[in-house]
Amino acid sequence: MDEKQTKKNLLFFPLGTIGRDMLYALFTNFILLYILYTKNLTTAQLAAVTAIMVAARIFDGLNDPIMGNLIERTRTRWGKYKPWLLAGVLSTSIVVYLAFNTDLTGWNFIAFFGVIYFTYSITFTMNDISYWGMIPALSSDGDTRNRFTSKTTLFAGIGSTLVSILVPLLTTGEFAIGGSAKVAYGRMALVIAVFAPICILFTLFGAKERRDDDNAPVPPVSFKKIISTITGNDQLMWICLAFVIQQLGSNIAIGGAGSNYIYFEFGYEGGLYSTYTTIGMLATAFLMVFYPAISRKLNRKPLMKLMITISLVGYVTEIASGIFMPSSMLKFWIITIGFMLANFGQYGFYLVMMISIINTVEYNEFKHGVRDEAIITSMRPFLTKLGSALVVVVTSLTYIICNVTSYTNQISNLESLAEMGSITVAEKTAQIASIIGSVVSWQKTGLLLAMTVIPFITMFVSYIIYQKKYVLDEDYYDEICKELESRKK
């Protein structure tokens, strides 16, 4: 790949992920909140929603290597990735729009939700596996790959951060579009569903991957091939284990525990939660931009040690202020700064492990003579989804233990009355404030501990696995790349 095309790829490939990550963030981070605050749920129905989300995400994760295998055998004039990119983003946009625009309630909604969630699992996988699978085909140079990875995660972060800011702000409290959460979520879903396909056009028409395997024999779709590729790569298996454990903890705060804690502690106001997540994400933007420069100065294992220390400071700050300080805006800002530090360290872990997964492509080629890049890179989204399934379990158990639905059901009823015009927005706001004021302190503390203690424990376990078992460090990786170049010559 010449330098001119590499620069073009570095611009147009990352642009494609803004809209698709907005779709992902809306559906993954807010679908449960949408249900809690627009539907009146029994404990059985909440359990059913949880079961559907867990089953669909596990199914989705298992489907990832299969999709990777399908992509590997795709041969078209547009390459093997781009047809799946387009089909995936169009179908996902339709599914996400439908998910947030339904009047169904009760068990009828639960049945609809089951169909829509499993459908999303298939459609987004088409796009996600093909998108991230392109990175190894864009460059095999270590530094250039770091630039691709960090820049792509930067633009992905822009998309998810926009959703994290705008969705709470425009669906909760005084700025809710249409005066109710249900109307607001529906309109936000429409805008994002239209925007995502527009973004992917940058990747489709601007990025160009290597086409070394266009004339290679088409591999069969084989479960044996998928399993042998994964199990035959010891470094891939170890990094996968470390990654999924870290993903479980790092997403609990934004998976629902954080938003409900902020609402219960400081008031049902979307602007507060938007501020909390925005400041938390600002620190990660630094890593997205400067990770390539940092990686040239500091190797991955020492970097992880630094990141876990920063996260520990953040979590201790959140716990201490949350338990010992009275509810006030000062407490809010201290907790938010604590979350920023914790999230900074967690995101550093994410970048290190994502690149570590991608680097096992060359390790696989070194050991077995084949890259199998689509199958290997499919493990990253597979593990992300498996981790998110575990997050749903932990979050829902936290909701049940802390009796969260006893409050959210009351708020949901008021949101429905406001949508029908039976009460004014001012009346709704005043009654919700009364409901929030009745939340017991131990329930708020339970949410706080779930979003701090569990993430640090999983981060520490992930750190130990990476330090002890992942041997594919920078020097060894460079040796492998040199050997592969020698073999080709």
Side-chain angles (χ1 to χ4, degrees):
M1 192 77 67
D2 60 65
E3 185 64 24
K4 182 179 179 180
Q5 185 59 52
T6 297
K7 289 181 179 179
K8 190 176 178 182
N9 285 347
L10 280 167
L11 173 63
F12 288 108
F13 180 77
L15 284 172
T17 199
I18 297 175
R20 49 172 241 108
D21 268 272
M22 291 180 74
L23 280 174
Y24 177 80
L26 175 65
F27 195 85
T28 304
N29 297 337
F30 289 97
I31 190 67
L32 188 54
L33 285 176
Y34 164 76
I35 294 170
L36 282 175
Y37 288 99
T38 66
K39 310 294 179 182
N40 197 316
L41 298 177
T42 64
T43 301
Q45 288 167 346
L46 176 60
V49 167
T50 303
I52 289 168
M53 294 176 73
V54 171
R57 292 185 186 188
I58 292 174
F59 164 79
D60 193 8
L62 295 174
N63 189 38
D64 285 349
I66 298 173
M67 180 56 65
N69 201 231
L70 288 171
I71 293 169
E72 282 289 358
R73 69 191 305 273
T74 299
R75 301 289 187 270
T76 73
R77 59 182 294 188
W78 303 282
K80 62 184 180 182
Y81 300 107
K82 292 181 179 179
W84 294 102
L85 281 175
L86 181 60
V89 77
L90 290 174
S91 54
T92 301
S93 294
I94 294 171
V95 169
V96 171
Y97 171 77
L98 293 174
F100 288 93
N101 286 274
T102 175
D103 293 323
L104 295 173
T105 59
W107 287 105
N108 288 334
F109 169 76
I110 302 299
F112 165 81
F113 178 71
V115 173
I116 213 75
Y117 211 103
F118 274 89
T119 305
Y120 169 85
S121 299
I122 297 170
T123 60
F124 189 75
T125 295
M126 293 182 197
N127 181 273
D128 200 38
I129 301 301
S130 54
Y131 185 80
W132 288 101
M134 280 186 73
I135 290 182
L138 295 173
S139 176
S140 59
D141 175 72
D143 184 59
T144 304
R145 186 172 288 180
N146 283 343
R147 290 162 64 197
F148 269 112
T149 303
S150 62
K151 196 167 185 178
T152 302
T153 53
L154 170 63
F155 281 82
I158 290 171
S160 60
T161 301
L162 283 172
V163 169
S164 297
I165 295 170
L166 295 176
V167 171
L169 183 64
L170 300 178
T171 61
T172 308
E174 61 177 315
F175 297 113
I177 299 172
S180 75
K182 183 176 178 297
V183 173
Y185 273 110
R187 293 182 184 175
M188 291 293 292
L190 174 61
V191 171
I192 295 171
V194 172
F195 183 65
I198 295 173
C199 285
I200 207 66
L201 296 177
F202 288 105
T203 301
L204 294 175
F205 293 105
K208 182 180 180 181
E209 75 274 23
R210 294 184 309 178
R211 304 281 290 272
D212 298 342
D213 56 359
D214 274 5
N215 298 318
V218 178
V221 176
S222 168
F223 288 101
K224 183 178 179 181
K225 170 64 176 175
I226 295 169
I227 294 170
S228 65
T229 297
I230 297 169
T231 58
N233 191 324
D234 60 300
Q235 293 302 287
L236 176 62
M237 289 195 294
W238 281 119
I239 191 60
C240 285
L241 178 61
F243 187 83
V244 74
I245 292 172
Q246 186 264 345
Q247 283 292 288
L248 163 61
S250 68
N251 291 319
I252 288 177
I254 62 172
S259 58
N260 281 293
Y261 173 75
I262 295 297
Y263 294 155
F264 287 0
E265 181 67 47
F266 303 105
Y268 186 68
E269 181 55 59
L272 288 175
Y273 183 58
S274 291
T275 302
Y276 173 80
T277 54
T278 302
I279 293 177
M281 297 297 179
L282 281 178
T284 66
F286 175 86
L287 283 175
M288 294 173 192
V289 174
F290 294 105
Y291 180 80
I294 294 172
S295 65
R296 287 191 288 269
K297 301 291 184 181
L298 192 63
N299 286 348
R300 289 189 290 271
K301 288 188 176 181
L303 179 61
M304 292 182 79
K305 186 176 182 179
L306 174 62
M307 292 297 155
I308 197 171
T309 303
I310 293 172
S311 284
L312 177 60
V313 173
Y315 287 128
V316 170
T317 300
E318 287 188 87
I319 293 171
S321 58
I323 293 177
F324 298 111
M325 289 184 68
S327 184
S328 65
M329 286 307 298
L330 176 60
K331 177 179 180 177
F332 169 79
W333 287 113
I334 293 175
I335 285 177
T336 300
I337 291 170
F339 174 64
M340 179 184 69
L341 294 172
N343 201 40
F344 183 87
Q346 289 281 10
Y347 197 78
F349 262 51
Y350 172 78
L351 283 177
V352 166
M353 288 192 283
M354 185 169 64
I355 291 169
S356 298
I357 290 173
I358 294 173
N359 285 351
T360 62
V361 170
E362 282 71 29
Y363 181 74
N364 199 71
E365 185 179 7
F366 175 73
K367 286 190 67 177
H368 304 297
V370 290
R371 292 173 64 81
D372 290 327
E373 55 197 24
I375 295 175
I376 290 174
T377 55
S378 72
M379 295 305 295
R380 198 268 329 155
F382 161 65
L383 297 167
T384 300
K385 293 162 189 173
L386 180 58
S388 69
L390 297 174
V391 168
V392 171
V393 174
V394 173
T395 303
S396 295
L397 285 174
T398 303
Y399 288 168
I400 292 171
I401 293 169
C402 298
N403 199 22
V404 168
T405 53
S406 66
Y407 304 102
T408 59
N409 282 342
Q410 296 179 64
I411 295 173
S412 174
N413 290 334
L414 293 172
E415 291 281 9
S416 297
L417 292 173
E419 181 192 1
M420 294 184 293
S422 300
I423 59 174
T424 65
V425 173
E427 290 172 331
K428 181 191 79 170
T429 302
Q431 292 183 52
I432 289 177
S434 176
I435 294 169
I436 295 297
S438 67
V439 178
V440 182
S441 61
W442 72 263
Q443 295 170 311
K444 292 182 283 188
T445 301
L447 290 169
L448 175 66
L449 294 178
M451 68 190 223
T452 53
V453 175
I454 296 173
F456 181 76
I457 291 173
T458 57
M459 188 182 194
F460 182 75
V461 172
S462 175
Y463 171 76
I464 295 298
I465 293 171
Y466 191 92
Q467 295 287 331
K468 299 290 186 182
K469 297 297 183 179
Y470 190 79
V471 300
L472 195 58
D473 59 16
E474 287 83 351
D475 293 337
Y476 188 27
Y477 176 78
D478 289 341
E479 290 177 15
I480 288 173
C481 289
K482 289 176 183 177
E483 171 63 24
L484 292 177
E485 284 299 317
S486 176
R487 290 180 187 179
K488 291 175 183 177
K489 291 177 181 179

